[in-house]
Amino acid sequence: MTPRFQAGIEYNPVVNEIVPTANWILNRASLRLPLVVLGTSSDRIGSREGTHAYFLTFAQGIPRLRLAPYFSINYSETDRGFNFPFGVNIALGEQWDLLPMNDGRRSHLILTYKEQNWNVSLIAVYLRHPGVSIGFAF
């Protein structure tokens, strides 16, 4: 919608659910300050249908190491309380990223191939179960 505000929809075919998503960049990353994003999406993998998460995320790229660690303060409707997701995005190449992460309760591993307007991710849910995510931008 704007360079600092994105809105979209998320479709989960496992439970046939469509939910809104939104991200508002409060601060762009700089050498001195991290990226700060306020947003909402469906709650974490494995949560019941109809639950949302509301989050404030801090991230900082480290270009020379090709890393971008992040930490979130997340309100989970599933938990009816706060949890603290974290992870680090690792640039494996121009179009490939690896993201070891914890959603505030369980760990996952995500390998993403990206193009300008789409991406596909292979996911090791709970580090055991395979999954896939496909994203498009219009």
Side-chain angles (χ1 to χ4, degrees):
M1 300 187 125
T2 74
R4 288 187 176 243
F5 182 76
Q6 298 175 345
I9 58 170
E10 190 177 325
Y11 173 63
N12 182 342
V14 174
V15 293
N16 196 30
E17 176 182 47
I18 297 174
V19 297
T21 64
N23 291 295
W24 179 25
I25 297 172
L26 301 177
N27 186 69
R28 294 180 191 259
S30 68
L31 293 176
R32 299 176 54 163
L33 295 171
L35 170 74
V36 181
V37 178
L38 181 65
T40 185
S41 67
S42 63
D43 215 335
R44 66 183 179 276
I45 296 171
S47 59
R48 71 184 189 280
E49 182 179 349
T51 57
H52 290 264
Y54 308 92
F55 52 86
L56 182 64
T57 299
F58 302 88
Q60 183 65 44
I62 306 169
R64 71 180 184 280
L65 298 178
R66 300 174 63 108
L67 301 175
Y70 77 91
F71 171 79
S72 291
I73 301 167
N74 182 71
Y75 180 82
S76 164
E77 288 182 350
T78 298
D79 297 339
R80 296 184 183 170
F82 289 94
N83 57 41
F84 303 95
F86 61 91
V88 61
N89 194 70
I90 304 164
L92 300 176
E94 192 171 311
Q95 293 175 289
W96 290 93
D97 291 334
L98 181 65
L99 177 63
M101 56 94 64
N102 182 287
D103 65 15
R105 295 285 182 239
R106 313 254 329 241
S107 294
H108 313 289
L109 189 60
I110 304 170
L111 177 66
T112 301
Y113 175 80
K114 54 191 188 241
E115 289 286 343
Q116 184 174 353
N117 292 320
W118 63 273
N119 63 62
V120 62
S121 297
L122 301 176
I123 307 169
V125 178
Y126 312 143
L127 302 178
R128 291 188 299 240
H129 307 290
V132 65
S133 174
I134 300 169
F136 298 95
F138 299 101

